[in-house]
Amino acid sequence: MTHQLPLIEPDVLIIGGGPAGLTAAAELVDRGAGRVMVVDREKHAGGIPRHSDHTGYGLRDLRRVMTGPAYARHLTDRATRSGAEIRTSTMVTGWSDQHTVDVTSPEGRYQIRARAIVLATGARERPRTARRIPGDRPHGVYTTGQLQNLVHLHHQPVGKRAVIVGGELVSWSAAMTLREAGCTPALMISKYPKAESYGAFNAAGRTILRVPVATRSRVTQVLGKGRCEAVEIEHLDTGKRRTVECDTVVFTGDWIPDHELVRSAGITLDESTLGPLTDTALRTSRPGVFAVGNMLHPVDTADVAALDGKHVAQQVINHLDGRSKPAEGVRLIADAPFRWIAPQILRPGDPAPARDRLLLWTDEFVRFPRVTVRQDGRVVTRRTLAWPAAPGRVFRIPSSVLDGISRTGGPVHITM
Amino acid sequence: MTPTPHRPHPEIFDIAVIGGGIVGSAIARELSGHDVSVALLEARDDVGDGTSKANTAILHTGFDAKPGTLESRLVARGYHLLSDYAKATGIPVEHTGAVLVAWNQEELDALPALKEKAEANGYEHCRIVDADEVYRVLPDLGEGVLGGLAVPDESIICTWTTNLALATDAKQRGTTLLLEHAVTGIDVGDDATTLYTARGDVRARWVVNAAGLGADMIDQLFGHDRFTVTPRRGELFVFDKLARPKVGKIVLPVPSSRGKGVLISPTIYGNVMLGPTAEDLTDRTNTATSEDGYDFLLSKGARLMPSLLSEEVTASYAGLRAAIDRDDYLIEATPEQRYLLVGGIRSTGLTAGIAIAEHVTGLLAETGLGLRSRSDLPAPPRMPNIGEATTRPYQDTDLIAEDTAYGTIVCFCERVTEGEIRDACHAPVPARSLEGLRRRTRAMNGRCQGFFCGAAVAALRTQHQTDDGCCSQHKDK
Ligand SMILES: Cc1cc2nc3c(=O)[nH]c(=O)nc-3n(C[C@H](O)[C@H](O)[C@H](O)COP(=O)(O)OP(=O)(O)OC[C@H]3O[C@@H](n4cnc5c(N)ncnc54)[C@H](O)[C@@H]3O)c2cc1C
Ligand SMILES: Cc1cc2nc3c(=O)[nH]c(=O)nc-3n(C[C@H](O)[C@H](O)[C@H](O)COP(=O)(O)OP(=O)(O)OC[C@H]3O[C@@H](n4cnc5c(N)ncnc54)[C@H](O)[C@@H]3O)c2cc1C
């Protein structure tokens, strides 16, 4: 391509029109950030909730509960009404310099340069291949995302009998979708001693879902030529294997941020979340580039992503005003059984994290978790929390546990 | 012989080619460049759905073939023929070059002989390089490289587009493409041979057997007992595109008696590939991947390029080489049966395909089958570019201005547009299934494997379904 692409220059560009990006856009315009533009590669804005057609959205940000599609519409309308410009079917395909991206859309290919950029590209579930599960390659093997797309947006049939791999919140969401599509969720498979998010459902919910759970188990093979016929599963403690018949397999959870733009920009990644390394102001390592939502914490609920968007707005405005001068900070490090923590940097003068919460992911179930914060060999805080830590969903810790740390000291270790 | 319900092809073809892989498609195309009528029979519902879809997709120089064999000659010639054909048709190719890496003294000592072997094969460009130079071009290789042999012309190519271009070209030159025509019985008559298939008989004066893994079975139907095909499984991992900057060249192992060994290669779609394994099986349909295969590849990968293993795996698959109990291709004509066998095209058939077709045509001409070149050939087809190295539709400003469908990205990971999916459904050899669509466009082949686009792609395929008469119905299991 020899000729120069057309260029547009809003004040703020938000990449990704899910709950995080849309909320950030509305807040930014409301607070006078100037011309705010949201781009999303899908035909409609709204992100994942658009095809997650069940209730459970909006509690923390809107203080009410609605279905995914209704929530997506609500956030889209709000952003549009506030005056943010939303461009759909518009995909950012790469960077041409520090603050300029290339996009493709039916209107053509062009560039967008902004004074501040907010990355809100979300997260996806690792498909079977990324989980390195061998066997045949039959039809009928999905992620929850694909399943919900098929069922809710395209009204396509799935099989009759499904195995769900994973026991996270989203796994139960898959179970609901399967039932709705007339497919029996015959077995849920979890490597943990109990289905991770079971506790999140009340007895009534569990009765309605009625999915037997094979705990301490993993899938070792997918079987079937043409259509899926079965999976082979193994009990992790006994090593015993058995075959479970099914014509559908849904790989759920096991999240990874959609971090292609982060990596191709050379923005520093957090090795544990695989999202960009961010501080409590949600800055990335590239000045003027912020990140919000599930790409920072793969994966939390939509309302938490939305509240990231709200939180980042003031930070972006501070940056636009030249008021944001990040100082050296301390690293927050999650030790086992925690897998990751977000955000990962605490700087002097920075705000508390969004919702005053640190977000963590645990590999162990602990009913009465006692959280310990250490810095430079010293215990800063020990606190017992009133809610359990369970694998498969985000564990939230009030950021006040950091109150005693030195923002100029060594790395802060958090464990349980 | 099997009775058949109807006879849809009353005409007697001059030549029937069995097998719509790279080899059979290349043969049909070449023969259709002459004054004969040709039918191409394929058991499956698409061309290139056998071994030809699942290989390592390297355009070999033939530097390491066994000198003096038919294979070495046809691979070397195929390299040039396919390179030229790729230019004419737009089959994606990248001339990346390869480095054969020595990890121990024994391997290092083997390099000079390999260079001499390359020269005996007529390939003069190999160069022995020291460890520093290897690390200079491949800085992410694991520790312990002692040296290497540079093979500057070894290249990567799109095997799917190659097969498709050849079949499309054959069709446009007049070949009758008969999909879902698995040959189950053969009757050699005085003037014509009858091939029995569940979709009716096909009659032809001459028959070319290019049935890949099924070639020995067809050979037996002709009453021969000359060879057995052993399916030699090769499993592979495809790593995420984000790993591609680590692998600028094909990283070859020093060959041992067990075969070519595990390589790391960039792919034409911008990924990185690790594999293949080599395991002899009995089941010719067993293209499953296995735990042992994965373990083996991962242990090799840990040595070759440890940092590659922390990248995400995008896909894994297995292909079956049609190995036979001899060290060369088995290409033989039996004129009294008006029959020609193309067997044992193991691990080089992608490269050699067009050269094999040329060789086969030569053999047929020798048997007295009248083969006059045509002067009225249509131009070779221009294939859609699904390679990463040159402009793809989503990057093409002018194309999008003409037709907005090329600006509508449907598969985000692979950046496949609505226009490309539509085109693939209406192409001369159209996509009839989601699998066929994957091979023509890359849709759903990316890191999310359909999380975002699977449903939308399926809907588009249904919307654009066409009937081209190659088989009676479309299907998606
Ligand atoms: C199956 C499923 C069920 C769920 N159920 C619930 C539930 O019941 N309740 C709940 O609270 N949460 C639920 N969640 C989680 C919730 O959907 C997420 O937390 C929320 O959507 C995260 O918002 P986000 O804005 O960070 O990302 P997303 O919603 O993922 O939005 C990201 C957006 O970025 C766009 N994008 C990405 N890359 C580009 C690019 N290069 N160019 C342009 N656009 C781009 C994408 O198209 C997408 O629209 C569920 C999630 C899944 C997958
Ligand atoms: C793991 C692996 C890696 C490889 N790497 C490379 C490489 O890097 N470079 C290279 O040049 N080569 C490579 N190869 C080899 C190359 O893929 C093969 O040599 C080539 O694809 C063979 O083509 P074919 O047409 O002979 O076979 P196929 O593609 O298998 O075609 C034969 C066709 O015949 C059909 N058929 C079979 N029986 C019947 C019947 N009875 N009636 C009708 N149709 C029938 C089948 O359905 C099939 O489509 C590799 C192979 C493997 C397995």
Side-chain angles (χ1 to χ4, degrees), chain A residues 1 3 5-6 41-43 48 51 89 91-94 103-109 121 123-137 139 141 143-147 149-151 154 156 218 220-222 225-227 232 234 241 255-256 258-261 263-264 274, chain B residues 235 237 239-243 246 283 285-291 294 298 308-318 391 394-398 400-401 404 406-413 415 417-418 434-435 438 444 446-456 458-459 476-477:
Chain A
M1 247 153 293
H3 49 203
L5 294 176
R41 56 194 185 181
E42 298 272 3
K43 284 203 161 78
I48 296 283
H51 52 74
S89 295
M91 178 170 177
V92 175
T93 60
V103 305
T104 293
S105 78
E107 285 74 49
R109 188 151 167 86
T121 55
R124 66 175 191 277
E125 297 164 287
R126 282 194 177 84
R128 173 239 179 137
T129 49
R131 301 179 192 215
R132 302 181 185 180
I133 294 170
D136 296 315
R137 306 179 70 198
H139 289 249
V141 178
T143 48
T144 321
Q146 184 175 4
L147 174 77
N149 245 307
L150 268 175
V151 173
H154 291 273
Q156 292 297 306
R218 65 171 185 132
T220 46
Q221 232 189 118
V222 175
K225 299 255 180 255
R227 181 78 201 190
E232 182 191 63
E234 180 187 84
R241 292 192 178 189
W255 304 94
I256 175 158
D258 262 310
H259 61 202
E260 182 179 18
L261 290 172
R263 277 190 71 177
S264 60
L274 296 178
Chain B
E235 297 182 44
F237 274 124
F239 286 89
D240 194 282
K241 292 185 202 321
L242 293 164
K246 294 177 191 291
D283 179 358
T285 64
N286 190 354
T287 50
T289 50
S290 68
E291 275 179 290
Y294 279 13
L298 294 175
L308 182 61
L309 298 195
S310 56
E311 298 289 344
E312 297 289 315
V313 170
T314 297
S316 56
Y317 61 91
T391 309
Y394 85 88
Q395 298 170 308
D396 192 332
T397 322
D398 299 339
I400 301 171
T404 56
Y406 296 111
T408 308
I409 299 179
V410 179
C411 165
F412 305 128
C413 304
R415 294 160 186 192
T417 63
E418 203 170 305
L434 286 176
E435 296 311 313
R438 280 176 189 266
M444 300 175 299
R447 57 174 70 102
C448 91
Q449 295 277 305
F451 179 101
F452 293 107
C453 73
D476 258 320
K477 292 142 273 183

Side-chain angles (χ1 to χ4, degrees), chain B residues 111-188:
Chain B
L111 298 182
L114 281 163
K115 183 166 181 282
E116 282 162 29
K117 188 172 170 187
E119 283 156 8
N121 281 319
Y123 183 71
E124 307 279 349
H125 300 165
C126 282
R127 214 160 39 82
I128 293 179
V129 294
D130 62 14
D132 285 352
E133 180 156 0
V134 175
Y135 283 119
R136 197 174 54 71
V137 292
L138 290 156
D140 289 287
L141 280 181
E143 282 173 29
V145 171
L146 298 184
L149 183 72
V151 193
D153 301 293
E154 208 74 353
S155 305
I156 58 176
I157 189 165
C158 176
T159 188
W160 301 326
T161 309
T162 301
N163 204 137
L164 204 60
L166 291 166
T168 305
D169 207 355
K171 197 172 172 206
Q172 289 178 350
R173 288 176 170 197
T175 294
T176 301
L177 180 56
L178 299 171
L179 299 174
E180 294 181 15
H181 277 66
V183 175
T184 50
I186 290 170
D187 202 354
V188 182

